[in-house]
Amino acid sequence: NAGVTQTPKFRVLKTGQSMTLLCAQDMNHEYMYWYRQDPGMGLRLIHYSVGEGTTAKGEVPDGYNVSRLKKQNFLLGLESAAPSQTSVYFCASSYPEPTNYEQYFGPGTRLTVT
Amino acid sequence: KNQVEQSPQSLIILEGKNCTLQCNYTVSPFSNLRWYKQDTGRGPVSLTIMTFSENTKSNGRYTATLDADTKQSSLHITASQLSDSASYICVVGHMLTFGGGTRLMVKP
């Protein structure tokens, strides 16, 4: 049981390049989330999904797209990276909604956009 | 606007000492309040989850309190250890509004 895994762990992009971050969970969780964490700030929700085939916008969705084609995977895409997207990205999952249930986080992806 | 404010921003204590971290929130509606521990370079890990009806909850040397009337919570760490060095994050509500965290350093 690996929990929540993220790929890649580190990445450097040039402005305008695109990339996809992969999040995978093996706990059969319905809910999955993408957050970004910037220095001195709390985690901010980018997008989330309440089940396979569904996605919804969070607090800071601009510049990102997501897909949840399989229940265990949640992909975060950057179509045209900007320096403002330099951050640490965390994926999380929970079953079902996190009102009283644990939310499990992945180890993070450190992205630098130059 | 939903907000979660934590204090202090950073704290240094000696090993074996106790400390208390504070969390004030203006999140509505309130469903629950969580405290997470985040080690450097790692994802957050849940310490406690409290609902509206709970005013204290313990997890080993960690004890969280909640005053829903004043919208305040605290996390008390007893007999600190070097491994307690981390950021502690308060998270409030159904939509999980995150505080900025308190960075704790425990020195020998």
Side-chain angles (χ1 to χ4, degrees):
Chain A
N1 189 332
V4 180
T5 59
Q6 293 183 231
T7 309
K9 289 186 170 54
F10 304 93
R11 185 72 186 267
V12 178
L13 287 179
K14 293 184 178 178
T15 298
Q17 287 185 319
S18 63
M19 77 164 294
T20 300
L21 282 66
L22 170 64
C23 175
Q25 53 93 6
D26 60 3
M27 296 173 282
N28 202 34
H29 285 171
E30 292 291 338
Y31 283 56
M32 296 187 74
Y33 316 79
W34 275 108
Y35 294 91
R36 60 177 290 173
Q37 187 175 37
D38 300 300
M41 298 183 69
L43 275 76
R44 291 181 292 169
L45 183 63
I46 304 171
H47 286 279
Y48 65 100
S49 168
V50 302
E52 181 179 319
T54 72
T55 63
K57 294 180 180 180
E59 181 186 355
V60 289
D62 294 342
Y64 306 95
N65 57 76
V66 288
S67 64
R68 183 101 180 266
L69 299 180
K70 294 183 178 181
K71 187 177 183 178
Q72 63 267 34
N73 295 337
F74 195 28
L75 279 63
L76 178 70
L78 287 73
E79 289 187 348
S80 179
S84 60
Q85 294 177 304
T86 294
S87 188
V88 180
Y89 292 85
F90 287 99
C91 175
S93 70
S94 68
Y95 175 79
E97 61 181 274
T99 301
N100 292 315
Y101 295 90
E102 292 284 348
Q103 193 183 31
Y104 295 87
F105 284 83
T109 294
R110 186 174 295 274
L111 175 67
T112 301
V113 183
T114 62
Chain B
K1 181 180 178 183
N2 290 336
Q3 285 190 312
V4 178
E5 301 287 341
Q6 292 188 242
S7 62
Q9 281 193 327
S10 62
L11 181 63
I12 301 173
I13 62 173
L14 292 177
E15 186 179 14
K17 297 296 186 183
N18 303 335
C19 67
T20 300
L21 314 180
Q22 300 290 343
C23 172
N24 295 340
Y25 62 92
T26 58
V27 174
S28 180
F30 177 86
S31 57
N32 60 59
L33 185 145
R34 303 157 179 259
W35 282 94
Y36 286 93
K37 178 185 179 187
Q38 185 177 20
D39 292 312
T40 301
R42 308 287 291 271
V45 174
S46 179
L47 293 174
T48 64
I49 304 173
M50 288 187 292
T51 61
F52 181 85
S53 60
E54 297 174 294
N55 56 22
T56 187
K57 202 157 191 178
S58 291
N59 178 358
R61 294 180 295 104
Y62 301 101
T63 299
T65 65
L66 172 64
D67 185 335
D69 292 331
T70 62
K71 298 188 177 181
Q72 295 180 325
S73 176
S74 65
L75 180 69
H76 186 75
I77 303 175
T78 304
S80 61
Q81 301 176 357
L82 298 179
S83 59
D84 292 331
S85 295
S87 288
Y88 291 85
I89 304 171
C90 177
V91 185
V92 183
H94 176 72
M95 288 308 295
L96 302 174
T97 303
F98 283 72
T102 292
R103 183 173 293 279
L104 174 65
M105 182 178 294
V106 180
K107 291 193 168 183

